Amino acid sequence: MTDRKTVFITGNSSGIGLGLTREYLSRGCEVYGVSRRGCPLENERLHDICCDLADFETVAPALQSLLGDTGVLDLVVLNAGVLGDIRELHDTPMADIRRVMDINLWANKAVMDWLHDSGIRLRQVVFMSSGAAVNGNKGWSGYALSKAALNMMAQLYVHEFPDTHIAAFAPGLVHTRMQDDIRDHVDSRLFPSMQALKDAIGTAFMPEPREAARLLADAFGKLPAYPSGSFLDIRTIK
């Protein structure tokens, strides 16, 4: 038996998920992770499994293998996600929107449904959302739609997890591969909101994942002070 804090993170092979995995390991936590490519870290307190969360039929067996013997999860961070193409909505193929929705939204339903039926006690769940869910800026298309729906998913699951604090959470700007893709491939003359992201790269306004993870982990501890199901932003919580 151990009183060590237990944390489950999806999408922990890179970016924010990898940063959070490092951070929670450094805090002495027992960390469980799932991602398509697998986490590159090695630690006796890291339990990791590869799974494409968009392949819904494989989610339950993977989670059973990873978490089947777990009685309590202090924190679940549903972080896995993709950007999709930045383009006008009318010009966005349905297949691209479907792919983004599958990963950013429906994969989280598959995870939450398994957790609901697993008998594992969940103390806190954080859905990683985005300001794109509410800003409505030109070009964000499938990504914005998926994150807006994710915010509602968090609200709806409150009724089914009455003993768990749930929040949809916007982490602010973090320097990940997504930001580099925007810098390298998106024309900010066509999509003006992208210029602010490009200008923030390499500045204190867009920390690297490791530093962002420290700030996020501290922020997660403050979320239970707000009503379960809330959409919260790291830049506004106190």
Side-chain angles (χ1 to χ4, degrees):
M1 298 291 292
T2 177
D3 57 2
R4 184 178 291 146
K5 186 174 181 179
T6 53
V7 181
F8 172 48
I9 303 169
T10 68
N12 70 327
S13 62
S14 63
I16 293 174
L18 178 58
L20 286 170
T21 300
R22 284 196 177 101
E23 179 64 23
Y24 282 113
L25 288 172
S26 75
R27 296 185 182 202
C29 299
E30 201 85 11
V31 181
Y32 300 83
V34 61
S35 63
R36 185 168 55 86
R37 295 188 301 273
C39 183
L41 304 179
E42 293 186 6
N43 189 292
E44 63 181 8
R45 286 180 282 103
L46 174 61
H47 315 275
D48 195 66
I49 195 167
C50 292
C51 176
D52 182 353
L53 294 174
D55 184 358
F56 305 136
E57 293 183 359
T58 68
V59 172
L63 295 183
Q64 181 63 39
S65 175
L66 179 69
L67 298 169
D69 295 329
T70 305
V72 177
L73 287 172
D74 295 291
L75 174 64
V76 173
V77 184
L78 299 177
N79 164 76
V82 294
L83 176 63
D85 291 336
I86 299 295
R87 59 170 73 180
E88 292 185 343
L89 186 57
H90 82 274
D91 194 37
T92 303
M94 194 64 75
D96 185 70
I97 293 179
R98 185 177 294 116
R99 171 178 170 269
V100 172
M101 294 292 282
D102 280 350
I103 298 171
N104 292 2
L105 181 67
W106 300 126
N108 291 314
K109 174 175 163 45
V111 173
M112 288 294 286
D113 291 350
W114 185 87
L115 289 170
H116 181 275
D117 296 336
S118 70
I120 297 173
R121 182 183 177 190
L122 307 180
R123 291 198 169 99
Q124 183 179 7
V125 174
V126 177
F127 289 83
M128 291 297 273
S129 186
S130 168
V134 296
N135 292 336
N137 288 324
K138 179 183 178 183
W140 288 92
S141 299
Y143 184 80
L145 289 169
S146 70
K147 295 301 185 180
L150 189 71
N151 291 358
M152 179 54 68
M153 181 178 282
Q155 292 186 49
L156 293 171
Y157 271 123
V158 167
H159 306 289
E160 300 171 38
F161 291 83
D163 299 320
T164 303
H165 187 274
I166 297 174
F169 185 72
L173 300 180
V174 181
H175 188 192
T176 64
R177 186 171 56 190
M178 184 182 82
Q179 304 295 351
D180 290 335
D181 287 343
I182 290 172
R183 177 193 61 198
D184 296 339
H185 302 297
V186 179
D187 188 344
S188 54
R189 293 171 298 179
L190 297 176
F191 305 104
S193 67
M194 304 301 164
Q195 190 58 51
L197 301 183
K198 294 182 179 183
D199 292 342
I201 293 177
T203 73
F205 296 103
M206 187 182 290
E208 296 297 318
R210 183 62 193 268
E211 172 61 17
R214 181 184 63 80
L215 300 173
L216 289 170
D218 290 343
F220 292 163
K222 301 176 181 179
L223 299 186
Y226 296 83
S228 190
S230 297
F231 171 57
L232 301 164
D233 191 305
I234 194 172
R235 292 161 289 198
T236 58
I237 65 168
K238 298 179 181 179

